[in-house]
Amino acid sequence: MWWNKIKMKSRLSFVRDRIVETYFWINGTSYNLEYSYSRIIATKVTAFMTIIDDIFDTYSSTEDSMQLAEAINRWDEDAVNVLPEYMKDIYLYLLETFHSFEDHLGPENSYRVVYLKEAFKKLVQAYSDELKWRDENYVPKTLNEHLQVSSVSIGTSVVACAIFVGMDDTTVETLNWVSSDQKLLKSFAIYTRFTNDMASAKREQAGGQCASTIQSYMKEHGMTNDDACEKIKELIENSWKDMLHHYLTLTDQPMVVPQMILNLSRTVDNMYKHTDAYTNSDILKDTIRMLFAEPM
């Protein structure tokens, strides 16, 4: 019902219709009964990430996209006045959805949504930076330069924050941890970025989007595309090892915290192992049917 309402309000027919696939993805991270609301928040936030990503990448002009970025940075109903007409409803529904999170969490825990808003703002800023790269045909000179933006734009910090915001036993310390550049979170973001780029680079480059980490690695090391892809595969393995190391050595958070991050990384592997299954979602139909539709 929430998704049908958002589609009706947005009237953005180009947006990927992936609410079932999104819930399937999030369910793989936190399937326990007690994390029901956590899954709801993370699914709704990921759906909005998809909408805004599609606006920036495939539909809107640069000027319109930058106006949306400005409105999200302001996070105020009055900011709707800076938007083109077709964006106004979806922007207001974004604010309404986050407000519903606050209402559900109640006076004692509504402060958590502030962390989620800030993470979302940083994500959209990274989208804006990548849009500038695309418009200027700019390829970051080094992999590290690329990752300064693209490890944020991949959205892992937003999804992780959304999951913890909805968990009953989340503390301020955990939210501060997930909002900072911790080693486990950083290695998870890098792993996801590399994995995503390997799965979707050909499609994205054909669509005229910004350069991926593969192109930056080619530029930095003077390599062919095939050789750079082989090196990125090695870096994926290395980032996975880094995640496991940081997962095993994290001692200043409850065990559920690193476990959720590791679970997220497993779902990423499932979605991008052979191709971009989130975009080419027909690949997931049989798995989703067996998991949710057919009786055990």
Side-chain angles (χ1 to χ4, degrees):
M1 291 171 60
W2 176 85
W3 182 246
N4 287 337
K5 185 178 178 182
I6 202 173
K7 286 197 298 182
M8 182 175 64
K9 280 181 171 289
S10 68
R11 299 187 297 276
L12 301 178
S13 59
F14 65 89
V15 170
R16 285 170 287 177
D17 191 344
R18 297 291 186 273
I19 194 63
V20 174
E21 292 85 350
T22 300
Y23 182 78
F24 163 73
W25 193 339
I26 298 302
N27 188 76
T29 298
S30 51
Y31 53 82
N32 310 66
L33 181 62
E34 64 266 31
Y35 299 143
S36 172
Y37 194 61
S38 177
R39 290 192 294 276
I40 290 172
I41 291 182
T43 299
K44 290 181 176 181
V45 168
T46 303
F48 266 117
M49 289 165 56
T50 301
I51 291 171
I52 294 173
D53 183 46
D54 287 350
I55 287 173
F56 272 71
D57 278 352
T58 63
Y59 186 75
S60 294
S61 66
T62 298
E63 181 181 0
D64 287 356
S65 295
M66 291 304 182
Q67 288 171 337
L68 178 58
E70 178 188 346
I72 289 173
N73 188 59
R74 288 170 57 180
W75 207 278
D76 183 87
E77 284 191 11
D78 290 341
V80 74
N81 296 320
V82 309
L83 295 173
E85 196 64 34
Y86 71 92
M87 285 187 183
K88 289 182 178 181
D89 286 338
I90 192 63
Y91 174 73
L92 291 174
Y93 199 46
L94 171 68
L95 302 189
E96 180 186 328
T97 298
F98 274 65
H99 185 65
S100 74
F101 298 158
E102 294 171 331
D103 285 346
H104 184 96
L105 292 169
E108 291 186 359
N109 293 319
S110 61
Y111 74 91
R112 299 177 183 177
V113 182
V114 174
Y115 288 87
L116 188 55
K117 290 177 184 177
E118 291 306 310
F120 204 88
K121 290 177 184 180
K122 290 178 182 178
L123 172 72
V124 174
Q125 180 57 54
Y127 286 167
S128 301
D129 293 339
E130 289 184 338
L131 189 59
K132 292 176 184 177
W133 287 354
R134 186 197 69 185
D135 288 353
E136 297 170 4
N137 293 316
Y138 177 70
V139 180
K141 298 179 179 65
T142 67
L143 191 59
N144 284 337
E145 180 189 356
H146 199 293
L147 289 171
Q148 286 177 7
V149 174
S150 63
S151 64
V152 179
S153 69
I154 197 62
T156 53
S157 61
V158 179
V159 177
C161 187
I163 286 172
F164 291 118
V165 163
M167 291 170 58
D168 290 340
D169 50 357
T170 293
T171 64
V172 172
E173 289 74 21
T174 293
L175 291 171
N176 286 333
W177 180 87
V178 80
S179 300
S180 59
D181 195 22
Q182 297 292 331
K183 291 179 179 178
L184 175 59
L185 295 168
K186 188 173 183 179
S187 58
F188 168 49
I190 291 172
Y191 169 78
T192 306
R193 169 48 64 193
F194 288 153
T195 304
N196 175 273
D197 282 2
M198 285 297 297
S200 59
K202 289 183 180 179
R203 172 183 57 81
E204 291 186 349
Q205 290 307 304
Q209 296 177 349
C210 74
S212 74
T213 51
I214 298 168
Q215 279 69 50
S216 283
Y217 202 90
M218 290 169 61
K219 186 173 185 177
E220 180 177 3
H221 298 281
M223 288 184 169
T224 65
N225 183 79
D226 289 344
D227 288 342
C229 285
E230 289 304 312
K231 289 296 183 180
I232 295 295
K233 289 178 183 177
E234 292 179 15
L235 293 175
I236 290 173
E237 289 299 317
N238 291 340
S239 58
W240 180 264
K241 292 175 184 177
D242 288 341
M243 273 193 298
L244 290 178
H245 171 74
H246 299 313
Y247 164 78
L248 293 170
T249 56
L250 182 66
T251 58
D252 60 350
Q253 290 293 325
M255 189 61 202
V256 67
V257 174
Q259 187 62 55
M260 285 294 178
I261 304 302
L262 190 63
N263 287 352
L264 268 172
S265 66
R266 288 168 171 160
T267 63
V268 167
D269 180 66
N270 181 62
M271 296 295 282
Y272 293 121
K273 194 175 188 75
H274 302 294
T275 186
D276 182 352
Y278 187 67
T279 298
N280 305 309
S281 59
D282 283 352
I283 297 168
L284 301 174
K285 280 186 176 180
D286 288 341
T287 305
I288 291 173
R289 186 184 69 252
M290 288 187 291
L291 187 62
F292 293 123
E294 293 182 352
M296 294 290 288

